[in-house]
């Protein structure tokens, strides 16, 4: 790796990490708004609930923009082409952002966080009843909008929502319990990701508790029956691996 690409990679990691910190804060705020909306619904203050939902929709849109930016920033080092001309990094980043947005099918209205918001409010007075207009295809679409690729640790078998110290590989995005995975990495040569079918080789500095992980686990925990099941998540993992090979 050239020194320029190495510097770009390090800068991209720092920038995307800062963006993820902001994303985590936005998602926490949406979770808090959901709790307040539930309280308002109990008090039959539907106007307040609608105002909070409108604000949540705006925050989700901002969250998606930040997510696209973070993803695009990570791709910049790979898109960089050395030349005798000065590189316009602003245009390069803009092009990568547009590519990420073009490949995204996420709808704010059908976003997992918005669905969870509406379900929480609906269940105040209609627990156990389907929401009006609820269609199976919408449920399937929103259930894939999560960065949780595996619902159990491949080494301990524990659900990720029960892990004491969850960590995630920055490359393949799989999640593990910290102590077992570190022991595994010390004793396996090479330390290939223990998820079946994943070709990634783990590196100590790349397996961490990133700024979004705990937020996403909390969201998975609070989503209850709406949480994606293991079969759907494994399908997503296989698709990702195929695309990276």
């Amino acid at each position: 790796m050239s020194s320029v690409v190495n510097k770009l990679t390090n800068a991209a990691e720092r920038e995307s990490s800062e963006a993820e910190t902001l994303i985590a804060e936005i998602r926490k705020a949406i979770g808090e708004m959901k709790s307040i909306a539930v309280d308002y619904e109990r008090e039959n203050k539907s106007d307040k609930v609608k105002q909070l939902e409108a604000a949540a929709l705006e925050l989700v849109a901002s969250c998606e923009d930040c997510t696209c930016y973070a993803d695009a920033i990570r791709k910049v080092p790979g898109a960089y082409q050395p030349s005798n001309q000065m590189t316009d990094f602003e245009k390069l980043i803009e092009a990568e952002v547009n590519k990420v947005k073009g490949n995204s099918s996420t709808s704010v209205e059908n976003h997992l966080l918005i669905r969870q918001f509406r379900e929480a409010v609906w269940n105040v007075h209609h627990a156990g009843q389907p929401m009006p207009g609820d269609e199976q295809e919408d449920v399937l679409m929103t259930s894939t909008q999560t960065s949780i690729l595996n619902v159990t640790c491949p080494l301990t078998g524990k659900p990720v929502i029960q892990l004491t110290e969850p960590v995630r590989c920055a490359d393949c995005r799989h999640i593990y319990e910290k102590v077992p995975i570190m022991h595994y990495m010390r004793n396996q040569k090479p330390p290939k990701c223990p998820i079946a079918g994943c070709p990634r080789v783990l590196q100590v500095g790349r397996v961490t508790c990133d700024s979004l992980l705990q937020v996403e686990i909390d969201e998975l925990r609070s989503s209850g029956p709406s949480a994606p099941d293991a079969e759907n998540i494994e399908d997503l993992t296989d698709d990702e691996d195929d695309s990276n090979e």
Side-chain angles (χ1 to χ4, degrees):
M1 182 181 291
S2 71
S3 61
V4 174
V5 174
N6 190 45
K7 289 179 181 178
L8 280 176
T9 301
N10 291 335
E13 287 290 338
R14 289 193 301 270
E15 189 73 14
S16 60
S17 178
E18 290 178 5
E20 286 187 345
T21 300
L22 176 58
I23 293 167
E25 292 302 316
I26 292 174
R27 290 167 74 152
K28 285 180 184 177
I30 295 171
E32 292 171 0
M33 291 165 68
K34 178 178 67 176
S35 297
I36 296 171
V38 167
D39 290 337
Y40 279 142
E41 184 67 13
R42 290 195 183 105
E43 298 170 3
N44 295 314
K45 296 180 178 179
S46 58
D47 56 332
K48 297 291 187 181
V49 173
K50 289 179 180 178
Q51 290 175 15
L52 281 171
E53 182 177 328
L57 283 164
E58 291 182 6
L59 281 179
V60 166
S62 298
C63 185
E64 285 302 302
D65 286 342
C66 288
T67 300
C68 286
Y69 176 76
D71 289 346
I73 284 293
R74 292 192 193 96
K75 298 178 186 300
V76 167
Y80 169 74
Q81 296 292 331
S83 70
N84 295 328
Q85 303 296 319
M86 183 175 294
T87 301
D88 189 333
F89 284 102
E90 185 175 347
K91 286 187 177 180
L92 182 58
I93 293 172
E94 183 180 354
E96 292 304 314
V97 168
N98 289 335
K99 287 179 185 177
V100 172
K101 286 185 175 181
N103 292 330
S104 174
S105 59
T106 302
S107 164
V108 172
E109 280 288 336
N110 291 322
H111 196 281
L112 179 62
L113 295 178
I114 294 300
R115 179 174 181 82
Q116 290 174 351
F117 182 103
R118 290 169 175 164
E119 283 183 340
V121 171
W122 173 258
N123 287 336
V124 171
H125 298 303
H126 307 88
Q129 302 176 33
M131 291 193 298
D134 210 356
E135 298 177 359
Q136 184 65 23
E137 57 207 78
D138 290 335
V139 175
L140 291 174
M141 180 173 63
T142 56
S143 70
T144 64
Q145 295 174 6
T146 175
S147 295
I148 302 293
L149 293 185
N150 55 296
V151 292
T152 59
C153 171
L155 297 177
T156 66
K158 290 174 60 177
V160 296
I161 59 175
Q162 295 178 12
L163 298 183
T164 304
E165 292 184 278
V167 290
R168 176 160 56 190
C169 174
D171 300 308
C172 65
R173 309 297 288 173
H174 289 128
I175 299 167
Y176 330 91
E177 181 74 275
K178 182 176 180 178
V179 172
I181 196 63
M182 292 303 167
H183 178 77
Y184 173 88
M185 291 168 67
R186 286 194 298 270
N187 290 279
Q188 293 293 321
K189 305 297 179 185
K192 188 177 177 181
C193 175
I195 290 285
C198 182
R200 300 293 186 181
V201 174
L202 305 180
Q203 302 175 51
V204 173
R206 303 285 290 171
V207 180
T208 62
C209 184
D210 59 73
S211 57
L212 274 175
L213 180 55
Q214 196 59 60
V215 175
E216 291 167 352
I217 289 176
D218 289 342
E219 290 172 358
L220 182 65
R221 184 182 294 114
S222 67
S223 65
S226 296
D229 58 45
E231 182 178 352
N232 285 341
I233 289 180
E234 287 306 315
D235 288 344
L236 285 174
T237 304
D238 292 341
D239 290 344
E240 180 179 286
D241 292 340
D242 291 343
S243 66
N244 287 326
E245 290 180 351

